[in-house]
């Protein structure tokens, strides 16, 4: 493809993830460059843009190339005068660690916005302040997760749908600063196929993660057990990219064919600030 030469790409693992070299996002991205970036995004699933000096407004601008940017229902995380940005920070007003993890829901494997009818497409995340230890972001490939299922599993999952519910995962994992009534009303539980076809690559992937609460037409406990089993089965070490952050890095990933999680850090000692925005995609189709 002729626009392939717009930048160099260095694979981060043999199966997923690539670093994009030589692009300064703060300079703006024209249509031709974005076309190449999007092509690489579909191919590699996770793109790392090395150290960038990217103000919040520029980050939102970059995300808008992918599509409509979500205004997150948990509005207490909105940041920098841009409601599209969701800031995760453990710093107090003096810039010192406050001892509180901002969102423990991020520590379990999940896919952004799966609790919406129209789920997350790209997530664009920028590392402002990086913990010296921990606070990594891990990605696992859901194409590979589906491909490696046995024929019996594939047959069992055919036609099954899972109910995704942010209130469930927020309460279960974070356990404090729970959703308000108004926030709950805005995002009622929604069901999606467990096996979805990526709308652009046409490949099948598992679509589950930590926001999945129950299975349509199945008893609650049985559904819970199935979800837990599948979420564990989906993660393969050799289909995972583990990113250790340096300040100023930006990562874009495709929520339709990945799960991700953050790793623990000590919020009383380490400092960690990331800002992210999630672009809305489509309602998942089997
Ligand atoms: Fe996330």
């Amino acid at each position: 493809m002729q626009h392939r030469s717009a930048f160099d790409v260095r694979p981060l693992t043999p199966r997923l993830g690539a670093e994009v070299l030589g692009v300064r996002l703060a300079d703006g991205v024209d249509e031709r460059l974005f076309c190449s970036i999007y092509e690489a995004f579909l191919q590699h699933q996770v793109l790392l843009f090395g150290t960038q000096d990217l103000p919040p407004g520029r980050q939102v601008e970059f995300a808008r190339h992918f599509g409509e940017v979500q205004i997150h229902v948990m509005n207490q995380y909105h940041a920098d005068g841009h409601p599209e940005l969701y800031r995760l920070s453990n710093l107090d007003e003096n810039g010192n660690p406050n001892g509180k993890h901002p969102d423990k829901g991020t520590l379990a494997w999940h896919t952004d916005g799966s609790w919406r009818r129209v789920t997350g497409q790209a997530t664009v995340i920028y590392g402002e302040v990086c913990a010296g230890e921990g606070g990594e972001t891990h990605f696992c490939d859901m194409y590979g997760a589906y491909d490696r299922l046995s024929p019996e599993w594939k047959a069992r999952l055919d036609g099954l749908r899972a109910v995704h519910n942010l209130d469930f995962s927020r309460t279960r994992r974070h356990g404090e600063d729970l959703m308000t009534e108004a926030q709950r009303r805005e995002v009622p539980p929604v069901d999606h196929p467990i096996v979805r076809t990526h709308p652009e690559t046409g490949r099948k992937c598992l679509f589950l993660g930590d926001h999945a609460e129950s299975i349509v037409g199945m008893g609650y406990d049985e559904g819970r057990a199935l979800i837990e089993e599948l979420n564990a089965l989906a993660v393969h070490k050799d289909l995972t990219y583990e990113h250790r952050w340096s300040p100023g890095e930006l990562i874009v990933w495709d929520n339709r064919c990945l799960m991700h999680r953050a790793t623990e850090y000590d919020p009383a000692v380490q400092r960690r600030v990331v800002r992210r925005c999630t672009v809305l995609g489509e309602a998942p189709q089997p």
Side-chain angles (χ1 to χ4, degrees):
M1 260 202 217
Q2 53 153 40
H3 48 250
R4 248 299 168 237
S5 59
F7 47 79
D8 288 324
V9 161
R10 181 180 70 89
L12 295 166
T13 76
R15 289 292 295 263
L16 77 157
E19 182 170 9
V20 171
L21 302 164
V23 172
R24 277 170 38 114
L25 295 170
D27 292 343
V29 171
D30 63 22
E31 275 313 305
R32 180 175 164 276
L33 176 58
F34 184 72
C35 208
S36 303
I37 291 173
Y38 199 76
E39 201 179 301
F41 165 80
L42 290 179
Q43 184 181 345
H44 299 286
Q45 303 164 255
V46 183
L47 295 181
L48 166 67
F49 292 80
T51 316
Q52 307 277 328
D53 184 7
L54 197 68
R58 282 288 195 182
Q59 181 180 354
V60 175
E61 213 172 276
F62 177 57
R64 283 208 185 102
H65 282 280
F66 288 84
E68 184 195 342
V69 181
Q70 159 181 245
I71 309 289
H72 203 288
V73 61
M74 301 298 277
N75 46 10
Q76 62 268 47
Y77 293 93
H78 291 177
D80 301 311
H82 295 275
E84 298 91 345
L85 286 174
Y86 185 97
R87 176 188 289 276
L88 292 167
S89 166
N90 72 318
L91 303 186
D92 64 20
E93 60 279 10
N94 300 314
N96 297 317
N98 62 14
K100 282 193 270 183
H101 194 289
D103 185 355
K104 294 193 275 284
T106 60
L107 300 171
W109 290 106
H110 66 283
T111 171
D112 287 341
S114 71
W115 36 270
R116 299 181 51 128
R117 172 68 56 197
V118 169
T119 61
Q121 180 224 42
T123 290
V124 178
I125 186 166
Y126 182 78
E128 276 187 13
V129 179
C130 302
E133 218 170 293
E136 297 179 4
T137 306
H138 295 177
F139 302 92
C140 64
D141 170 22
M142 291 296 101
Y143 293 130
Y146 178 77
D147 291 344
R148 288 191 185 179
L149 289 176
S150 66
E152 292 74 25
W153 261 114
K154 286 179 181 167
R156 191 176 165 197
L157 296 182
D158 190 31
L160 278 191
R161 299 178 70 88
V163 177
H164 295 244
N165 181 1
L166 179 61
D167 187 29
F168 162 76
S169 53
R170 174 79 180 180
T171 303
R172 178 186 184 207
R173 297 297 187 188
H174 197 60
E176 53 188 301
D177 188 18
L178 301 182
M179 294 180 78
T180 63
E181 260 320 307
Q183 288 171 336
R184 281 195 194 104
R185 266 200 309 275
E186 203 176 319
V187 287
V190 61
D191 60 281
H192 296 301
I194 292 179
V195 177
R196 75 180 288 186
T197 301
H198 192 291
E200 289 170 282
T201 66
R203 295 179 64 192
K204 281 186 187 290
C205 14
L206 266 187
F207 190 71
L208 214 51
D210 205 57
H211 300 306
E213 179 178 10
S214 59
I215 307 283
V216 176
M218 198 179 278
Y220 188 83
D221 292 344
E222 196 189 342
R224 287 292 325 136
L226 180 64
I227 289 167
E228 295 286 348
E229 188 178 359
L230 264 174
N231 277 340
L233 203 60
V235 181
H236 301 275
K237 188 77 182 159
D238 64 319
L239 299 180
T240 300
Y241 170 59
E242 302 185 348
H243 186 69
R244 192 162 180 185
W245 286 90
S246 297
E249 286 178 330
L250 180 132
I251 294 184
V252 184
W253 71 81
D254 190 342
N255 284 294
R256 299 168 294 184
C257 52
L258 291 167
M259 289 200 295
H260 63 280
R261 68 169 177 191
T263 64
E264 296 264 18
Y265 66 99
D266 185 347
V269 176
Q270 305 281 339
R271 292 178 168 79
R272 186 176 191 266
V273 183
V274 299
R275 52 172 138 97
R276 66 147 216 251
C277 39
T278 298
V279 176
L280 298 173
E282 54 282 303
Q285 299 300 318

